[in-house]
Amino acid sequence: MTLTLQKRFLLTLVPLLAFLLILGSAGVVLIYWLGTRADAILRENYDSVIAMEHLGDALERIDSSFQFTLAGREVQAHVQYEANWKAYRESLGVEQGNITLPGEKELVDDLTVLTERYEQQGKAFYARAAGDPRRNADYFDAGGLLDTFTKIKSVAGQIARINQDNMEEAS
């Protein structure tokens, strides 16, 4: 049985066309998968960055409540203190549920420990009587509220930074 030139040509081209079709389809699927994965990475990282921004804003307001207290505006300060802990905890909760990067868990654990310390220090600060001179020490001394505030800002900044860096890499 002899094959005509046309049949030989078809027998050569059909497998190549089938291979190209399979390869092209796999490429399209891979590009689609990578696109959706990149979107998920960007979304998760963006959520962490926003959570750390909101946490930082609430932290600033909590810190300013201590300063208001030291300036003699006790009522205004305590209202601000209580109101901003809710927003702070919500932002911390978002980040605790959105750990996606290497090293992020350790930073979130550090942030959680610092938060507990800061809250306990804040409660002790407000447990003192108005005008108690020890409040200045509670705020300004080494290991006091101001030190803890600074450490929290640093850790929250590191969390935001690693998420921003990962977003830049993914994009």
Side-chain angles (χ1 to χ4, degrees):
M1 172 175 176
T2 61
L3 295 174
T4 64
L5 185 59
Q6 184 179 13
K7 286 183 181 178
R8 285 182 189 180
F9 191 64
L10 283 175
L11 285 174
T12 305
L13 276 180
V14 168
L16 286 173
L17 290 174
F19 179 69
L20 282 174
L21 181 65
I22 291 169
L23 197 59
S25 298
V28 168
V29 168
L30 182 61
I31 288 171
Y32 176 76
W33 179 80
L34 286 173
T36 57
R37 184 65 193 133
D39 287 345
I41 290 169
L42 291 172
R43 194 173 324 105
E44 290 166 352
N45 293 146
Y46 180 76
D47 290 344
S48 288
V49 170
I50 294 301
M52 290 301 95
E53 284 182 12
H54 291 164
L55 182 139
D57 291 345
L59 180 65
E60 292 283 349
R61 290 184 187 100
I62 291 168
D63 181 65
S64 69
S65 76
F66 298 128
Q67 295 172 20
F68 280 136
T69 300
L70 293 174
R73 300 195 171 228
E74 184 87 24
V75 174
Q76 178 186 3
H78 202 67
V79 168
Q80 182 171 326
Y81 174 81
E82 292 296 329
N84 284 288
W85 269 110
K86 181 178 186 277
Y88 182 97
R89 284 189 201 97
E90 286 174 4
S91 297
L92 181 60
V94 167
E95 180 55 30
Q96 287 170 330
N98 192 36
I99 297 171
T100 57
L101 300 173
E104 190 173 11
K105 181 180 180 350
E106 292 78 9
L107 290 171
V108 171
D109 290 345
D110 289 347
L111 184 61
T112 302
V113 168
L114 287 167
T115 297
E116 291 169 7
R117 181 187 330 159
Y118 195 58
E119 188 170 14
Q120 291 306 314
Q121 288 174 318
K123 287 178 182 177
F125 178 88
Y126 280 113
R128 297 194 190 282
D132 188 329
R134 291 178 292 177
R135 278 185 166 175
N136 277 326
D138 289 346
Y139 186 78
F140 289 108
D141 283 359
L145 286 161
L146 184 58
D147 276 353
T148 307
F149 164 81
T150 304
K151 289 176 184 172
I152 291 172
K153 288 290 279 188
S154 174
V155 172
Q158 290 174 35
I159 293 169
R161 194 169 21 267
I162 65 171
N163 279 282
Q164 286 171 333
D165 291 346
N166 196 55
M167 285 170 63
E168 290 172 9
E169 288 174 20
S171 67

